[in-house]
């Protein structure tokens, strides 16, 4: 089996391009910090948000978070996704021993998505418990 | 950095921006001045909410109104205030949401007390239920002049 250019140290191996990262099959190029997030196994955006302060505690590729109405937040991306349906969202908020928070996606577009929090009465409401709200978004940028 | 702006329907949006260092990292920028960061935030805000008006940066030490009444927030110039009619309705809705499960609980206790022919318990439960039924009376009758009026007229149901 032939060695890759990278293994040979021939100087022929370069950094993976965005397209190569998204294809995800090459073993002849290396990954640079600036392009690693384009691989589909990577999370393209994530956030940890304190609803009650309110403040972004930590994030990646999230330029801002807005409260649109009670229990509804809008995540605005620093770099947009390739298409409105090109990513998935997983989200959770802090609850308590007797409280329930469930999130649902209200809208999603290339530049932002809105997520609503439902309580045990199935009504949109502010998160209960800690108020911490985390989310991860995976897909194509 | 926090901004407020008003949607065409009069409701308020509160937008919190990620720290400058995070924006720089995400955009792969080596430098960004504070002025450039502020310009970035305002430009993004206007792109993301073109129909909104009154985009205003809040001072770092600005104390936000009570988030429980967020849907009653209104923008007045560069500050936030409450729509007291909306705030009163929010308080009533929240109070009823807390009261309904308590009423169900006392209905159960009343049935049990009747089955056991426990007159003392029956009388006690009747008093609690009457108090719960009247929990919204003060709020309903209130013409609030401040959010404190609404808070003061909202009974604490955690004692039941």
């Amino acid at each position: 089996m032939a060695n890759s250019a990278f293994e040979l140290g021939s100087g022929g191996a370069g950094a993976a391009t965005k397209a190569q990262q998204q294809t995800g099959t090459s073993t002849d190029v290396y990954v640079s910090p600036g392009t690693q997030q384009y691989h589909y196994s990577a999370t393209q955006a994530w956030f940890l948000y304190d609803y009650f302060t309110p403040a972004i505690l930590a994030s990646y590729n999230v330029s801002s978070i807005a409260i649109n109405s009670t229990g509804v937040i809008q995540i605005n991306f620093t770099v947009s996704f390739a298409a409105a349906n090109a990513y998935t969202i997983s989200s959770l908020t802090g609850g308590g021993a007797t409280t329930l928070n469930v999130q649902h996606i209200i809208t999603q577009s290339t530049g932002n998505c809105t997520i609503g929090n439902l309580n045990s009465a199935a009504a949109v409401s502010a998160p209960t418990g800690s108020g911490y709200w985390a989310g991860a978004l995976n897909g194509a940028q | 950095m926090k901004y407020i702006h008003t949607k065409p329907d009069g409701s308020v949006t509160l937008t919190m921006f990620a720290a400058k260092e995070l924006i720089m990292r995400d955009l792969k920028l080596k430098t960004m001045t504070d002025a450039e960061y502020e310009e970035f935030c305002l430009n993004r805000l206007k792109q993301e909410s073109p129909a909104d008006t009154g985009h205003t940066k809040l001072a770092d030490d600005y104390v936000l109104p009570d988030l429980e009444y967020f849907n009653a927030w209104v923008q007045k110039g560069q500050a936030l205030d409450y729509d007291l009619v909306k705030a009163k309705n929010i308080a009533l809705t929240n109070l009823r949401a807390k009261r309904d499960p308590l009423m169900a609980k006392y209905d159960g206790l009343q049935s049990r007390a009747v089955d056991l022919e426990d007159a003392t318990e029956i009388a006690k439960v009747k008093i609690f239920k009457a108090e719960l039924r009247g929990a919204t009376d003060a709020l309903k009758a209130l013409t609030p002049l401040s959010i404190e009026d609404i808070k003061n007229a909202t009974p604490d149901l955690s004692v039941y």
Side-chain angles (χ1 to χ4, degrees):
Chain A
M1 191 172 85
N3 288 330
S4 70
F6 183 67
E7 287 171 319
L8 290 170
S10 64
T17 62
K18 177 181 174 182
Q20 285 172 317
Q21 276 290 91
Q22 289 184 326
T23 303
T25 55
S26 174
T27 55
D28 293 333
V29 289
Y30 58 85
V31 178
S32 73
T35 55
Q36 78 82 23
Q37 82 266 25
Y38 297 119
H39 195 279
Y40 287 148
S41 66
T43 296
Q44 278 76 26
W46 55 264
F47 63 90
L48 176 61
Y49 175 67
D50 182 350
Y51 183 88
F52 294 119
T53 298
I56 300 171
L57 302 180
S59 68
Y60 179 74
N61 194 31
V62 169
S63 60
S64 64
I65 295 180
I67 302 179
N68 280 342
S69 63
T70 297
V72 178
I73 62 171
Q74 177 172 317
I75 316 299
N76 297 306
F77 311 127
T78 311
V79 179
S80 296
F81 281 85
N85 58 358
Y87 60 96
T88 61
I89 308 164
S90 54
S91 173
L92 59 92
T93 65
T98 58
T99 56
L100 175 68
N101 292 299
V102 178
Q103 287 70 53
H104 69 119
I105 299 162
I106 298 171
T107 62
Q108 81 180 76
S109 65
T110 56
N112 63 62
C113 66
T114 54
I115 308 171
N117 182 74
L118 300 177
N119 64 14
S120 53
V124 175
S125 64
T128 51
S130 70
Y132 280 15
W133 192 326
L137 300 97
N138 289 69
Q141 270 186 313
Chain B
M1 192 174 288
K2 292 186 180 77
Y3 281 84
I4 51 171
H5 37 115
T6 298
K7 293 193 272 286
D9 66 3
S11 62
V12 168
T13 297
L14 173 68
T15 301
M16 278 72 51
F17 275 89
K20 184 175 84 171
E21 293 71 24
L22 300 181
I23 300 289
M24 286 172 60
R25 180 202 59 197
D26 296 349
L27 290 174
K28 302 178 176 63
L29 298 175
K30 288 191 169 66
T31 60
M32 184 184 234
T33 65
D34 289 346
E36 287 168 340
Y37 172 57
E38 196 162 326
E39 187 182 358
F40 168 86
C41 294
L42 192 56
N43 286 342
R44 276 296 176 100
L45 202 57
K46 289 185 173 176
Q47 283 170 20
E48 288 156 2
S49 54
D52 290 11
T53 55
H55 298 88
T56 301
K57 180 188 163 194
L58 296 176
D60 291 342
D61 59 353
Y62 185 83
V63 179
L64 293 169
D66 193 334
L67 261 178
E68 185 178 346
Y69 299 95
F70 182 85
N71 288 351
W73 287 12
V74 287
Q75 187 174 353
K76 288 194 175 167
Q78 300 197 324
L80 290 162
D81 203 348
Y82 297 99
D83 178 326
L84 292 174
V85 174
K86 285 185 181 175
K88 176 181 162 179
N89 287 333
I90 290 168
L92 278 168
T93 301
N94 292 345
L95 192 55
R96 287 175 181 132
K98 287 177 187 165
R99 181 182 63 180
D100 290 350
L102 290 170
M103 286 297 279
K105 172 185 142 185
Y106 282 107
D107 283 344
L109 290 175
Q110 189 173 30
S111 294
R112 185 168 178 272
V114 168
D115 287 347
L116 296 172
E117 297 178 350
D118 183 341
T120 309
E121 184 67 10
I122 291 170
K124 196 170 106 184
V125 170
K126 274 186 177 176
I127 291 169
F128 283 152
K129 285 178 70 175
E131 287 174 0
L132 285 171
R133 267 194 293 272
T136 55
D137 290 353
L139 255 180
K140 282 195 284 192
L142 182 71
T143 303
L145 299 175
S146 72
I147 197 70
E148 295 309 318
D149 287 349
I150 292 171
K151 290 179 180 179
N152 291 337
T154 306
D156 177 11
L157 299 188
S158 66
V159 296
Y160 291 98

